[in-house]
Amino acid sequence: MSETVISIKGLKKSFGENTVLKDINFSVNRGDVTCIIGSSGSGKSTMLRCINLLEEPTGGEIVYNGKNILETKNIPAYRAKVEMVFQSFNLFENMTVLKNCMIGQRKVLKADKETAKKEAMFYLEKVGMAPYINAKPRQLSGGQKQRVAIARALAMKPDVILFDEPTSALDPQMVGEVLEVIKNIAKEGLTMIIVTHEMAFARDVSNHVVFMNDGVICEEGTPEQIFTNPQKPETRAFLMRFMNN
């Protein structure tokens, strides 16, 4: 039987009068690659930021490994297990690539320097960034920065990685290299939740697709169900728009 890692129950988020998330419910099992799709403004990134507690939900529960994390106060320990890769990379500009991948291990996991370096090198190698360990972020392309950000997340040995539109800030020719890295990680069985507007990628890499529309989950299912036989008119209209671009 599949083990549920994260379960979202009745999640709500408002900014003042504006309700962005309205009663969101879904679960992620260990090893799932869940792609969240939907138009801009449908609440996808806000939901991801709530899961990582970068935004405080207005209501509902986020259950991680059986515990409602909104009630536990140890947010840094939770975030070390549920890592996030941002569309804007969020690298430390004053640190080398290697140090960027070591600092979280040293500060949060309390790893010694040698261990942190070894782990960082292992994952930088995996994403093809080992030749750049002494570079600073400003010397890298967007695609290279994003690969470093992915290596940094992997080095924390997380349970789950959240990707927030990981290719939206990249030039078209760099999108492929980052998606390739994410595809390779997916094959290794890491649990991932990916907000993306790359439909072909979502279809190929995920085993669970969630379509959001206007702050609610409109439809969810396997990639086959969502992309070849969507049930809801909103899903069909969204996919028609995308596939015709």
Side-chain angles (χ1 to χ4, degrees):
M1 193 175 134
S2 303
E3 178 195 351
T4 301
V5 183
I6 290 182
S7 196
I8 311 295
K9 300 178 178 179
L11 186 68
K12 296 181 181 66
K13 177 65 185 173
S14 301
F15 295 99
E17 296 293 293
N18 180 19
T19 302
V20 180
L21 299 176
K22 313 162 189 170
D23 196 22
I24 299 278
N25 298 278
F26 79 102
S27 293
V28 175
N29 292 330
R30 191 166 300 288
D32 273 359
V33 177
T34 299
C35 279
I36 317 275
I37 61 171
S39 306
S40 292
S42 58
K44 308 182 301 294
S45 289
T46 301
M47 180 177 76
L48 213 60
R49 291 173 69 83
C50 283
I51 294 173
N52 196 242
L53 299 186
L54 290 166
E55 298 287 356
E56 196 175 331
T58 314
E61 293 181 6
I62 297 167
V63 179
Y64 167 68
N65 285 342
K67 294 191 180 76
N68 179 8
I69 53 132
L70 299 178
E71 289 170 357
T72 62
K73 293 293 172 247
N74 197 347
I75 292 171
Y78 166 71
R79 282 208 191 119
K81 287 292 179 198
V82 180
E83 275 284 322
M84 182 126 163
V85 173
F86 299 86
Q87 51 186 310
S88 53
F89 327 123
N90 286 24
L91 297 175
F92 295 109
E93 292 294 332
N94 61 337
M95 291 184 188
T96 62
V97 162
L98 184 60
K99 287 224 168 93
N100 261 289
C101 290
M102 287 171 65
I103 185 157
Q105 301 180 65
R106 301 274 287 135
K107 287 233 161 38
V108 182
L109 304 181
K110 305 290 182 240
D112 63 66
K113 200 169 170 186
E114 276 314 300
T115 306
K117 185 176 177 181
K118 199 165 126 226
E119 290 294 321
M121 286 304 302
F122 176 79
Y123 289 108
L124 285 165
E125 190 102 11
K126 193 186 266 288
V127 301
M129 287 303 290
Y132 299 89
I133 57 170
N134 296 316
K136 296 271 177 73
R138 66 175 175 277
Q139 297 166 299
L140 303 176
S141 71
Q144 290 170 328
K145 287 182 197 176
Q146 194 57 295
R147 285 189 281 156
V148 172
I150 292 168
R152 177 179 63 180
L154 288 168
M156 297 296 285
K157 300 281 178 63
D159 238 6
V160 182
I161 297 189
L162 311 174
F163 290 89
D164 185 13
E165 302 259 15
T167 58
S168 69
L170 302 181
D171 296 337
Q173 65 271 29
M174 290 171 189
V175 169
E177 67 183 55
V178 170
L179 293 181
E180 199 52 43
V181 166
I182 298 172
K183 273 184 190 167
N184 290 336
I185 305 167
K187 288 180 192 144
E188 294 179 12
L190 186 65
T191 309
M192 301 197 266
I193 305 176
I194 307 169
V195 168
T196 184
H197 55 269
E198 301 284 343
M199 292 303 121
F201 168 73
R203 192 181 54 216
D204 295 344
V205 82
S206 66
N207 65 326
H208 180 207
V209 178
V210 173
F211 169 61
M212 286 183 70
N213 188 48
D214 196 24
V216 298
I217 290 178
C218 187
E219 188 167 354
E220 62 178 314
T222 64
E224 293 74 35
Q225 288 166 334
I226 299 297
F227 289 107
T228 58
N229 190 21
Q231 300 301 302
K232 297 279 180 71
E234 297 89 337
T235 318
R236 287 199 289 273
F238 170 77
L239 290 171
M240 288 280 289
R241 257 203 333 275
F242 252 100
M243 299 309 186
N244 291 336
N245 277 354

